[in-house]
């Protein structure tokens, strides 16, 4: 509708877009020159003045259009006005701009188009709407549609108690600058707080440069300097999320708050230092219920509307002050004393019913209560046959009659205190089991500690000793394995750290383990003569023994499954006396092992990353979006298998989750191989510090997904390590399929080039199949290899007749997930077609991880959602047909491999069949053909011969192409490649 403003504003004009309005009262109120000229003149004079003079002065015709904003946002339009092509910015909007430009700082035309699929220009023309702004003014503001991220018409209507038929957006704009107190446009902006905390903004509003706080916030030239509400910090958010800062620099957002309100609040990003939205949502059932019910848009809005008012906690309590260790030591002793009454009526039984599997050596000098507590802990901890050799170093307390309370001990009565070392050596001569455990008498064992240590010792013939995670009485670590430094000093790795820290929770070879708990091969220790008595009476004897074991070709292994609590210096006369003995023993150790010490690192925090492990194995850093748990589905299953293959190939593996890992401890430390360090407490914002501390220790860095590589390139480019970039899937292919589904034009070639642009030529780039590898090579990369998927067969015995129902397995991580689209397409279009064909359609069972806050919206009596299922085998055993109606995706669909592995034939979209390169191994239908998809399901569901044939052909194809052993070998080959 190319009509100029002078025509559209004329009262007689028959065409009236809602934005083509001249508001005389508003105009005269806001422009003093017009008011002066038009004073005393009849109605209509103001419009004449605007068209002849005011438009050229930058006046706006009504509160619905902002001339100065429009010209500022579109400098090319300003130039056209200077050339005389248009009378004003509003004139340009009338003729051209209404087709796609934003007319006001409180309406975002691009956002409106993005939020609502029906807001295409073709649809608008069909309904006689002159652009999206016209639709919003006529309908959208009444339909709870969002025209700007900071204006919520429903919120404003409720706050102002507007009557039906009154437009909240128009009312809000009309009242700005009218002398009334400024109302909040949404829960996301607080004008009163804003002017109170930004005096410069208040001054400029008072001078008339801006009509309101919201006007200042959305149009000032330094948006990074102004926070909109008390609960959001622009500076914090940019520092916390460098990817957002980069997006702002690229012009994607005006400021960080725009990204947060539009996207970050749903991702539960942290808005300020003191607010944790994940904690807020997860802690309060009320919050989760309100969000699930749609009462509030997001957790941040809920916090501002409800949580602050009702005092709901929105951040974890501050870390508790350090517990006084002296007090916990005293509590440890008191508990030991309190337990003595138990043994007055029931003895501890250590009598041997079978040859012992372990000989426990414990040395005691007085401290009867601690010794009894330790022995009770030992008996309760391990039910297997064991020999307990107790060397009593001349005790004068009740230890001298300990046999009254403990039966079956091998008791050595020593007439005087000859020290720990010599007493332990005397006890070693009595050990009869193949394993000997040196155990302090001031400990309490963690669950299954002895059994776990024995299992580790038996795991490999070259393991000579196993040591424990030792926790002091106040809950902090004493050690997670021991380190030896060049000057002969030693350190307990991670001393004073948290027992749940990632660094303390993976198996590794260490320099030594403390004699607090040290399980050794008896023959090896006896061959070495036990502890070296030059260290008598005590200290460094355990370090020296481990060094000699390693010199004999045996490993010392730290296993975090072996845990105990230790009252440090519990058997010493004083702590200082113990320290003096340590200094003496250190001099002896330094003299004896001078040659070994010369090759060790100097004591330092950086050196600890090398000294904590002595395996000599190569190190790889594996980087993913999150910790690759198999239950998350998607590409994380393949990533999980890659990590396992890395560990099996003998590499030290560390996993870095760039987006964090909001999962329980058991999943984090139990799902991946025990020797993998899962850095669950790290994420992208710590990248600079992480690579400064660890960057130099890696032989190879393996980055999953190209977007992660681009995020980390500033730090990766300085590393000497080899680089592998695993594309996981070419994302452009997924985008192309989605565009085709919507009938949109999409240049996949350009998108692929953009996706792989900037990857260094020295990096090895991986693709999941040869087709995608060819695409990547087409961008100019030469070092492209294929790493597919590994999946072994586990065919169930259940036959066709004993099965029923359909099965869909897939994770839903976000709203635009291919799996969510698949399910919605099935329910909306395929299911009705299936019902028409079969009468009563089979029930579809849906299983898979669903991200927090993400709904499925697939309600139907013929669909049962199981959510995340720990063991899918029972579902596969019952299902007759697996369905995969995927309409956009990239890579290769692991879900189909898994279904075939369990022996369930598949009906998939032709998109997936093409990605697989499969033919008659499955049935397929086009992504636009719901009826065809339903026909294929009905065929396979009702034809046993076809069902058996598909099952057998698919199983054979899986074995031929996806052997897990071949996959693991391929990972090993990539690790060691050039």
């Amino acid at each position: 509708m190319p009509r100029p403003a002078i025509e559209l504003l004329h009262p007689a004009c028959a065409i009236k877009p809602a934005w083509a309005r001249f508001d005389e009262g508003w105009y005269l109120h806001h422009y003093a020159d017009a008011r002066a000229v038009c004073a005393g003149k009849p109605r209509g004079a103001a419009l004449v003045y605007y068209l002849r003079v005011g438009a050229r002065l930058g006046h706006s015709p009504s509160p619905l259009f902002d001339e100065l904003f429009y010209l500022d946002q579109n400098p090319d339009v300003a130039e056209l006005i200077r050339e005389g092509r248009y009378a004003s910015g509003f004139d340009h909007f009338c003729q051209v701009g209404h087709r796609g430009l934003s007319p006001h700082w409180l309406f975002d035309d691009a956002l409106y188009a993005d939020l609502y699929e029906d807001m295409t220009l073709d649809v608008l023309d069909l309904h006689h709407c002159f652009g999206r702004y016209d639709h919003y003014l006529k309908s959208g503001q009444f339909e709870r549609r969002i025209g700007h991220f900071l204006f919520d018409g429903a919120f404003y209507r409720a706050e102002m108690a507007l009557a039906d038929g009154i437009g909240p957006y128009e009312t809000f704009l009309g009242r700005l600058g009218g002398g009334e107190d400024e109302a909040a446009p949404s829960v996301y902006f607080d004008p009163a707080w804003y002017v109170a905390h930004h005096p410069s903004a208040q001054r400029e509003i008072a001078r008339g440069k801006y009509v309101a706080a919201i006007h200042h916030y959305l149009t000032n030239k330094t948006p990074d300097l102004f926070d909109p509400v008390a609960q959001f910090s622009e500076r914090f958010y940019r520092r916390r999320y460098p990817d957002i800062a980069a997006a702002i620099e690229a012009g994607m957002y005006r400021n960080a708050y725009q990204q947060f309100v539009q996207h970050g609040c749903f991702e539960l990003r942290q808005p300020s230092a003191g607010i944790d939205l994940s904690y807020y949502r997860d802690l309060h059932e009320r919050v989760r219920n309100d969000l699930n019910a749609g009462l509030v848009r997001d957790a941040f809005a809920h916090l501002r509307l409800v949580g602050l008012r009702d005092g709901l906690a929105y951040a974890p309590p501050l870390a508790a002050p350090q517990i006084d260790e002296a007090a916990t030591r005293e509590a440890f002793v008191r508990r030991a004393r309190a337990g003595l009454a138990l043994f007055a009526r029931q003895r501890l039984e250590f009598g041997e019913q079978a040859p012992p599997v372990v000989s426990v050596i414990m040395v005691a000098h007085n401290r009867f209560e601690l010794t009894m507590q330790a022995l009770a802990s030992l008996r309760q901890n391990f039910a297997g046959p064991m020999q307990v050799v107790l060397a009593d170093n001349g005790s004068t307390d009740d230890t001298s009659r300990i046999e009254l309370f403990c039966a079956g001990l091998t008791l050595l009565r020593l007439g005087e205190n000859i020290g720990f070392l010599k007493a332990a050596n005397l006890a070693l001569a009595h050990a009869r089991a193949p394993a000997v455990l040196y155990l302090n008498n001031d400990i309490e064992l963690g669950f299954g500690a002895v059994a776990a240590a024995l299992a580790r010792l038996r795991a490999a013939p070259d393991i000579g000793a196993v040591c424990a995670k030792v926790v002091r009485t106040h809950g902090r670590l004493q050690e997670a394995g021991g380190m030896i430094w060049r000057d002969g000093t030693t350190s307990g790795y991670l001393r004073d750290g948290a027992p749940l820290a990632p660094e303390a929770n993976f198996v590794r070879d260490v320099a030594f383990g403390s004699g607090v708990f040290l399980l050794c091969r008896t023959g090896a220790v006896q061959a070495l003569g036990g502890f070296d008595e030059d260290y008598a009476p005590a200290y460094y004897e355990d370090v020296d023994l481990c060094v000699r074991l390693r010199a004999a070709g045996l490993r010392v292994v730290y296993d975090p499954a072996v845990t105990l609590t230790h009252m440090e210096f519990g058997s010493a006369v004083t702590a200082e006396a113990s320290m003096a003995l340590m200094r003496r023993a250190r001099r002896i150790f330094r003299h004896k092992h001078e040659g070994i010490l010369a090759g060790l690192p100097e004591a330092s925090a950086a050196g600890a990353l090398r000294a904590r492990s002595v395996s000599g194995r190569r190190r790889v850093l594996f980087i993913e979006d999150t910790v690759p748990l198999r239950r998350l589905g998607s590409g994380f299953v393949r990533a999980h298998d890659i990590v396992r293959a890395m560990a099996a190939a003998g590499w030290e593996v560390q996993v870095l989750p760039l987006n964090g890992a909001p999962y329980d401890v058991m999943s984090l430390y139990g799902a991946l191989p025990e020797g993998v360090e899962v850095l669950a407490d790290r994420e992208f914002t710590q990248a600079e510090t992480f690579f400064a501390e660890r960057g130099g220790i890696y032989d190879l860095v393996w980055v999953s997904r190209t977007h992660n590589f681009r995020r980390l390139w500033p730090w990766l480019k300085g590393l000497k390590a080899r680089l592998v970039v695993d594309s996981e899937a070419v994302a452009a292919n997924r985008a192309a399929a989605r565009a085709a589904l919507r009938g949109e034009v999409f240049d996949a070639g350009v998108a692929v080039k953009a996706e792989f642009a900037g990857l260094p030529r020295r990096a090895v780039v991986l693709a999941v199949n040869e087709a995608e590898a060819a695409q990547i090579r087409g961008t100019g990369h030469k070092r492209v290899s294929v790493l597919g998927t590994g999946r072994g067969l586990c065919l169930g015995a259940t036959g066709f007749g004993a099965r029923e129902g359909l099965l869909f397995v897939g994770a839903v991580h976000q709203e635009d997930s291919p799996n969510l689209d698949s399910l919605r397409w099935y329910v909306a279009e395929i299911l009705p077609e299936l019902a028409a064909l079969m009468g009563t359609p089979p029930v579809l069972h849906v299983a898979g991880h669903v991200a927090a806050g993400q709904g499925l919206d697939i309600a139907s009596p013929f669909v049962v959602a199981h959510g995340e299922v720990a063991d899918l085998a029972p579902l596969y055993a019952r299902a007759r047909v697996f369905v995969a109606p995927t309409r956009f995706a990239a890579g290769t669909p692991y879900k189909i491999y898994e279904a075939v592995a369990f022996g369930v034939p598949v009906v998939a979209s032709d998109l997936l069949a093409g990605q697989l390169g499969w033919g008659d191994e499955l049935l397929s239908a086009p992504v636009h053909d719901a009826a065809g998809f339903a026909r294929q399901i009905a065929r396979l569901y009702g034809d046993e011969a076809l069902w058996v044939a598909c099952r057998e052909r698919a199983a054979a194809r899986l074995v031929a192409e996806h052997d897990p052993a071949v996959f693991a070998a391929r990972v090993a080959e990539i690790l060691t490649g050039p």
Side-chain angles (χ1 to χ4, degrees), residues 588-606:
I588 298 170
F589 179 78
R590 194 162 49 227
H591 175 73
K592 285 180 176 286
H593 299 290
E594 189 173 6
I596 295 174
L597 294 175
L600 299 181
E602 293 183 351
S604 67

PDB file of all heavy atoms in Angstrom, residues 588-606:
ATOM      1  N   ILE A 588      66.037 -38.769  55.523  1.00  0.00           N
ATOM      2  CA  ILE A 588      66.450 -40.146  55.189  1.00  0.00           C
ATOM      3  C   ILE A 588      65.924 -40.519  53.804  1.00  0.00           C
ATOM      4  O   ILE A 588      66.656 -41.082  52.976  1.00  0.00           O
ATOM      5  CB  ILE A 588      65.912 -41.124  56.255  1.00  0.00           C
ATOM      6  CG1 ILE A 588      66.503 -40.797  57.626  1.00  0.00           C
ATOM      7  CG2 ILE A 588      66.207 -42.565  55.867  1.00  0.00           C
ATOM      8  CD1 ILE A 588      65.855 -41.554  58.765  1.00  0.00           C
ATOM      9  N   PHE A 589      64.681 -40.215  53.552  1.00  0.00           N
ATOM     10  CA  PHE A 589      64.068 -40.553  52.265  1.00  0.00           C
ATOM     11  C   PHE A 589      64.799 -39.863  51.117  1.00  0.00           C
ATOM     12  O   PHE A 589      65.070 -40.468  50.073  1.00  0.00           O
ATOM     13  CB  PHE A 589      62.594 -40.140  52.291  1.00  0.00           C
ATOM     14  CG  PHE A 589      61.857 -40.414  51.011  1.00  0.00           C
ATOM     15  CD1 PHE A 589      61.423 -41.695  50.706  1.00  0.00           C
ATOM     16  CD2 PHE A 589      61.591 -39.386  50.098  1.00  0.00           C
ATOM     17  CE1 PHE A 589      60.741 -41.956  49.520  1.00  0.00           C
ATOM     18  CE2 PHE A 589      60.917 -39.643  48.920  1.00  0.00           C
ATOM     19  CZ  PHE A 589      60.491 -40.929  48.633  1.00  0.00           C
ATOM     20  N   ARG A 590      65.138 -38.595  51.314  1.00  0.00           N
ATOM     21  CA  ARG A 590      65.817 -37.836  50.264  1.00  0.00           C
ATOM     22  C   ARG A 590      67.166 -38.464  49.940  1.00  0.00           C
ATOM     23  O   ARG A 590      67.580 -38.553  48.785  1.00  0.00           O
ATOM     24  CB  ARG A 590      65.967 -36.383  50.720  1.00  0.00           C
ATOM     25  CG  ARG A 590      66.354 -35.423  49.601  1.00  0.00           C
ATOM     26  CD  ARG A 590      66.067 -33.975  49.971  1.00  0.00           C
ATOM     27  NE  ARG A 590      66.593 -33.631  51.267  1.00  0.00           N
ATOM     28  CZ  ARG A 590      65.904 -32.971  52.197  1.00  0.00           C
ATOM     29  NH1 ARG A 590      64.655 -32.623  51.966  1.00  0.00           N
ATOM     30  NH2 ARG A 590      66.455 -32.658  53.345  1.00  0.00           N
ATOM     31  N   HIS A 591      67.852 -38.918  50.964  1.00  0.00           N
ATOM     32  CA  HIS A 591      69.165 -39.540  50.771  1.00  0.00           C
ATOM     33  C   HIS A 591      69.028 -40.886  50.037  1.00  0.00           C
ATOM     34  O   HIS A 591      69.812 -41.188  49.130  1.00  0.00           O
ATOM     35  CB  HIS A 591      69.838 -39.744  52.129  1.00  0.00           C
ATOM     36  CG  HIS A 591      71.128 -40.486  52.029  1.00  0.00           C
ATOM     37  ND1 HIS A 591      72.275 -39.923  51.515  1.00  0.00           N
ATOM     38  CD2 HIS A 591      71.449 -41.773  52.381  1.00  0.00           C
ATOM     39  CE1 HIS A 591      73.249 -40.828  51.539  1.00  0.00           C
ATOM     40  NE2 HIS A 591      72.786 -41.951  52.074  1.00  0.00           N
ATOM     41  N   LYS A 592      68.031 -41.678  50.393  1.00  0.00           N
ATOM     42  CA  LYS A 592      67.876 -43.015  49.810  1.00  0.00           C
ATOM     43  C   LYS A 592      67.414 -42.974  48.349  1.00  0.00           C
ATOM     44  O   LYS A 592      67.741 -43.870  47.571  1.00  0.00           O
ATOM     45  CB  LYS A 592      66.873 -43.839  50.636  1.00  0.00           C
ATOM     46  CG  LYS A 592      67.413 -44.353  51.950  1.00  0.00           C
ATOM     47  CD  LYS A 592      66.347 -45.146  52.680  1.00  0.00           C
ATOM     48  CE  LYS A 592      66.885 -45.764  53.973  1.00  0.00           C
ATOM     49  NZ  LYS A 592      67.777 -46.912  53.704  1.00  0.00           N
ATOM     50  N   HIS A 593      66.650 -41.960  47.984  1.00  0.00           N
ATOM     51  CA  HIS A 593      66.030 -41.954  46.658  1.00  0.00           C
ATOM     52  C   HIS A 593      66.419 -40.715  45.849  1.00  0.00           C
ATOM     53  O   HIS A 593      65.637 -40.200  45.050  1.00  0.00           O
ATOM     54  CB  HIS A 593      64.505 -42.041  46.801  1.00  0.00           C
ATOM     55  CG  HIS A 593      64.053 -43.288  47.485  1.00  0.00           C
ATOM     56  ND1 HIS A 593      64.134 -44.522  46.912  1.00  0.00           N
ATOM     57  CD2 HIS A 593      63.533 -43.481  48.736  1.00  0.00           C
ATOM     58  CE1 HIS A 593      63.671 -45.438  47.747  1.00  0.00           C
ATOM     59  NE2 HIS A 593      63.303 -44.826  48.871  1.00  0.00           N
ATOM     60  N   GLU A 594      67.628 -40.290  46.031  1.00  0.00           N
ATOM     61  CA  GLU A 594      68.105 -39.079  45.366  1.00  0.00           C
ATOM     62  C   GLU A 594      67.960 -39.173  43.841  1.00  0.00           C
ATOM     63  O   GLU A 594      67.578 -38.220  43.171  1.00  0.00           O
ATOM     64  CB  GLU A 594      69.570 -38.846  45.746  1.00  0.00           C
ATOM     65  CG  GLU A 594      70.121 -37.520  45.291  1.00  0.00           C
ATOM     66  CD  GLU A 594      71.519 -37.270  45.846  1.00  0.00           C
ATOM     67  OE1 GLU A 594      72.072 -38.184  46.480  1.00  0.00           O
ATOM     68  OE2 GLU A 594      72.028 -36.185  45.632  1.00  0.00           O
ATOM     69  N   GLY A 595      68.273 -40.329  43.288  1.00  0.00           N
ATOM     70  CA  GLY A 595      68.208 -40.490  41.838  1.00  0.00           C
ATOM     71  C   GLY A 595      66.794 -40.362  41.300  1.00  0.00           C
ATOM     72  O   GLY A 595      66.569 -39.776  40.231  1.00  0.00           O
ATOM     73  N   ILE A 596      65.814 -40.910  42.015  1.00  0.00           N
ATOM     74  CA  ILE A 596      64.419 -40.826  41.576  1.00  0.00           C
ATOM     75  C   ILE A 596      63.890 -39.403  41.705  1.00  0.00           C
ATOM     76  O   ILE A 596      63.188 -38.895  40.823  1.00  0.00           O
ATOM     77  CB  ILE A 596      63.547 -41.797  42.397  1.00  0.00           C
ATOM     78  CG1 ILE A 596      63.956 -43.242  42.128  1.00  0.00           C
ATOM     79  CG2 ILE A 596      62.063 -41.590  42.091  1.00  0.00           C
ATOM     80  CD1 ILE A 596      63.239 -44.248  42.998  1.00  0.00           C
ATOM     81  N   LEU A 597      64.241 -38.730  42.777  1.00  0.00           N
ATOM     82  CA  LEU A 597      63.706 -37.403  43.048  1.00  0.00           C
ATOM     83  C   LEU A 597      64.117 -36.390  41.987  1.00  0.00           C
ATOM     84  O   LEU A 597      63.364 -35.452  41.684  1.00  0.00           O
ATOM     85  CB  LEU A 597      64.175 -36.915  44.421  1.00  0.00           C
ATOM     86  CG  LEU A 597      63.644 -37.695  45.632  1.00  0.00           C
ATOM     87  CD1 LEU A 597      64.289 -37.189  46.907  1.00  0.00           C
ATOM     88  CD2 LEU A 597      62.132 -37.580  45.714  1.00  0.00           C
ATOM     89  N   ALA A 598      65.274 -36.569  41.384  1.00  0.00           N
ATOM     90  CA  ALA A 598      65.776 -35.598  40.411  1.00  0.00           C
ATOM     91  C   ALA A 598      64.833 -35.438  39.223  1.00  0.00           C
ATOM     92  O   ALA A 598      64.767 -34.371  38.602  1.00  0.00           O
ATOM     93  CB  ALA A 598      67.155 -36.018  39.929  1.00  0.00           C
ATOM     94  N   GLY A 599      64.073 -36.470  38.890  1.00  0.00           N
ATOM     95  CA  GLY A 599      63.179 -36.397  37.741  1.00  0.00           C
ATOM     96  C   GLY A 599      61.770 -35.974  38.065  1.00  0.00           C
ATOM     97  O   GLY A 599      60.908 -35.959  37.165  1.00  0.00           O
ATOM     98  N   LEU A 600      61.505 -35.621  39.319  1.00  0.00           N
ATOM     99  CA  LEU A 600      60.143 -35.255  39.736  1.00  0.00           C
ATOM    100  C   LEU A 600      59.934 -33.746  39.660  1.00  0.00           C
ATOM    101  O   LEU A 600      60.894 -32.971  39.708  1.00  0.00           O
ATOM    102  CB  LEU A 600      59.889 -35.751  41.161  1.00  0.00           C
ATOM    103  CG  LEU A 600      59.973 -37.267  41.364  1.00  0.00           C
ATOM    104  CD1 LEU A 600      59.670 -37.622  42.811  1.00  0.00           C
ATOM    105  CD2 LEU A 600      59.005 -37.995  40.420  1.00  0.00           C
ATOM    106  N   PRO A 601      58.689 -33.308  39.549  1.00  0.00           N
ATOM    107  CA  PRO A 601      58.431 -31.868  39.499  1.00  0.00           C
ATOM    108  C   PRO A 601      58.632 -31.210  40.857  1.00  0.00           C
ATOM    109  O   PRO A 601      58.623 -31.871  41.894  1.00  0.00           O
ATOM    110  CB  PRO A 601      56.966 -31.791  39.073  1.00  0.00           C
ATOM    111  CG  PRO A 601      56.363 -33.084  39.517  1.00  0.00           C
ATOM    112  CD  PRO A 601      57.455 -34.108  39.390  1.00  0.00           C
ATOM    113  N   GLU A 602      58.815 -29.892  40.809  1.00  0.00           N
ATOM    114  CA  GLU A 602      58.896 -29.125  42.051  1.00  0.00           C
ATOM    115  C   GLU A 602      57.479 -28.905  42.580  1.00  0.00           C
ATOM    116  O   GLU A 602      56.516 -28.860  41.822  1.00  0.00           O
ATOM    117  CB  GLU A 602      59.582 -27.790  41.805  1.00  0.00           C
ATOM    118  CG  GLU A 602      61.054 -27.929  41.427  1.00  0.00           C
ATOM    119  CD  GLU A 602      61.723 -26.575  41.249  1.00  0.00           C
ATOM    120  OE1 GLU A 602      60.994 -25.556  41.262  1.00  0.00           O
ATOM    121  OE2 GLU A 602      62.950 -26.554  41.098  1.00  0.00           O
ATOM    122  N   ALA A 603      57.412 -28.764  43.891  1.00  0.00           N
ATOM    123  CA  ALA A 603      56.098 -28.591  44.522  1.00  0.00           C
ATOM    124  C   ALA A 603      55.440 -27.305  44.043  1.00  0.00           C
ATOM    125  O   ALA A 603      56.017 -26.216  44.162  1.00  0.00           O
ATOM    126  CB  ALA A 603      56.256 -28.570  46.038  1.00  0.00           C
ATOM    127  N   SER A 604      54.244 -27.425  43.471  1.00  0.00           N
ATOM    128  CA  SER A 604      53.486 -26.262  43.012  1.00  0.00           C
ATOM    129  C   SER A 604      52.080 -26.727  42.661  1.00  0.00           C
ATOM    130  O   SER A 604      51.836 -27.916  42.438  1.00  0.00           O
ATOM    131  CB  SER A 604      54.134 -25.623  41.782  1.00  0.00           C
ATOM    132  OG  SER A 604      54.052 -26.490  40.668  1.00  0.00           O
ATOM    133  N   ALA A 605      51.173 -25.773  42.580  1.00  0.00           N
ATOM    134  CA  ALA A 605      49.800 -26.112  42.190  1.00  0.00           C
ATOM    135  C   ALA A 605      49.767 -26.653  40.763  1.00  0.00           C
ATOM    136  O   ALA A 605      49.053 -27.606  40.449  1.00  0.00           O
ATOM    137  CB  ALA A 605      48.910 -24.879  42.318  1.00  0.00           C
ATOM    138  N   ALA A 606      50.552 -26.025  39.870  1.00  0.00           N
ATOM    139  CA  ALA A 606      50.589 -26.506  38.490  1.00  0.00           C
ATOM    140  C   ALA A 606      51.217 -27.886  38.413  1.00  0.00           C
ATOM    141  O   ALA A 606      50.769 -28.754  37.652  1.00  0.00           O
ATOM    142  CB  ALA A 606      51.358 -25.519  37.614  1.00  0.00           C
TER     143      ALA A 606
END
